[in-house]
Each structure stands twice: as C-alpha cells, then as structure tokens.
Amino acid sequence: MIDSTQLMLFISASFILAITPGPDIVYTLTRGITQGRKAAMYAAFGFNFGILFHTAFAAFGLSAILRTSALAYQGVKYAGAAYLVYLGIQTWRHRNDSMVACEGDILKPMTIFKQTVICNVLNPKVALFFLAFLPQFVDPSKGNVGMQMGMLGIIFMIVSYPVFVALAFFSGAVGNKLKGNPNIERRLKTLAGGVFVSLGLALALPDNR
C-alpha cells in the first residue's frame, strides 16, 4: 500500500529522528541512571506505546483540533507540564529513600510505564509533529489514508524502540555502578527531580505555533 521508495525514506527519517536528543531521551536516561535498567526499559516502552496514541490522533484528525484550537492546545500543554513538575517534586520528596532498600517499589513496571505514556500523550508538540510528519509519506491514491498513517506509526515505533532499548541498557549500566552509595543516590534523585521539573517548565514555555 506504501511505495517502497517512500517506505525506505520514512524508515531513514524515523531513525534519524529517534536518535536526535530530545525530552524523551533525557527522560529515559534519567530513569535508567536513577532507577536502573528495568525502569529505563519500561520508560522506553511507554514512550513507544504513546506513539500509537499520537498516530491515532493524527489519523482521526484529533491533532488538527490541537492545531486550530488555542484553548485545547494550551490545556493539554499545561496538563503535561504540570504532570512532569509533579513527578519532579515526588522524586525530590523521596530522594532520601534507598534504591536498594526500596527496589521493589521503585521498579514497579506498570507505574513507570503509565507515567511515561501520560507524559508522552500530554505533549501537544508530539501530537502536532505526527500530524505534520506522517502525511508527508501518505499517498491517497494508494488506499485508505487512515490505514496508511496507522502503518507508518507502527513502523516508526518499531524503528525507534531499539534506539530506546540501547539507551536503557546504557543508562541502566551507569545507574547500577552508582547504586548503593546513599550520598550518590540522594544526589542522583535530586538531579532527576530537577530534570523532570525542567522538562515540565520547558513544555509550559510559550512557543511559536
């Protein structure tokens, strides 16, 4: 349904976009270094799962609402920013908890997965990006546009996931070497809280839409 040349171009563009540093990479790195490889893996999975939501939004035109309605855009934007700041504050509050003593609580997979999906879905810039990016590789003469965008979204997820997995392994390895030292753990969590709050504030800043 999609031209092979266009498909290869899309895969190449998707890979370049996946390795380009951004909030998703910073978030995954922070999870891995402060909470270990498992946490980073589920953060990576959460970001990639969120791609399905943004693909569906773009395919059904919901992203167009964010593009044309300033109120809807700002509402989603500030909700996402507030959630990231909340995660940062929670990290600061629990910075004195040992990662070794509380490993079972910190590495709850579904908690990290849900938090990451929420952060991704509540970022209107990602929604608008997919609305702008996916249609560039869609040809109405090749069949249903919605199905084509759905396929492209899944391909984007397949291409980007290995990048995030490699990132999770790297950050997890760094985190494992630092884990167990209370002073280092406390500083890492303080830094992680600062990263989450900074990402939230950056999302809340005015932009040129």
Side-chain angles (χ1 to χ4, degrees):
M1 199 161 58
I2 301 174
D3 181 77
S4 58
T5 303
Q6 283 290 92
L7 181 60
M8 291 306 300
L9 182 61
F10 177 79
I11 291 174
S12 300
S14 298
F15 178 75
I16 293 172
L17 289 169
I19 63 175
T20 301
D24 47 0
I25 286 182
V26 173
Y27 184 99
T28 304
L29 274 172
T30 302
R31 285 291 190 188
I33 292 174
T34 59
Q35 297 181 11
R37 182 179 299 163
K38 187 176 180 181
M41 290 289 288
Y42 276 91
F45 184 47
F47 272 116
N48 278 265
F49 190 78
I51 290 172
L52 295 180
F53 285 92
H54 288 298
T55 300
F57 292 162
F60 291 104
L62 297 181
S63 292
I65 296 175
L66 294 178
R67 185 180 61 182
T68 57
S69 171
L71 182 61
Y73 179 87
Q74 295 297 331
V76 173
K77 176 180 178 179
Y78 289 127
Y83 188 71
L84 279 168
V85 171
Y86 165 78
L87 291 182
I89 293 173
Q90 288 294 100
T91 303
W92 280 335
R93 286 184 58 198
H94 297 287
R95 65 184 178 275
N96 291 322
D97 295 343
S98 171
M99 283 189 279
V100 176
C102 304
E103 190 176 40
D105 294 331
I106 288 178
L107 296 183
K108 281 183 178 177
M110 289 310 297
T111 299
I112 295 168
F113 172 74
K114 289 175 184 177
Q115 288 179 345
T116 311
V117 171
I118 291 171
C119 287
N120 194 0
V121 172
L122 290 180
N123 189 340
K125 293 181 181 178
V126 178
L128 295 180
F129 164 76
F130 271 83
L131 182 65
F133 180 61
L134 296 184
Q136 305 300 318
F137 301 90
V138 169
D139 184 352
S141 67
K142 298 290 185 179
N144 186 282
V145 170
M147 288 185 63
Q148 288 186 60
M149 293 180 72
M151 289 178 58
L152 290 172
I154 292 173
I155 292 170
F156 187 93
M157 183 174 65
I158 293 172
V159 171
S160 62
Y161 188 61
V163 175
F164 279 88
V165 169
L167 189 67
F169 269 85
F170 167 75
S171 61
V174 173
N176 288 336
K177 289 184 179 296
L178 299 176
K179 208 161 55 171
N181 185 316
N183 290 328
I184 293 179
E185 288 184 18
R186 191 178 304 110
R187 290 170 185 169
L188 283 175
K189 285 190 175 182
T190 300
L191 176 62
V195 169
F196 293 150
V197 170
S198 297
L199 289 174
L201 294 177
L203 179 59
L205 288 175
D207 52 52
N208 298 319
R209 313 183 39 232

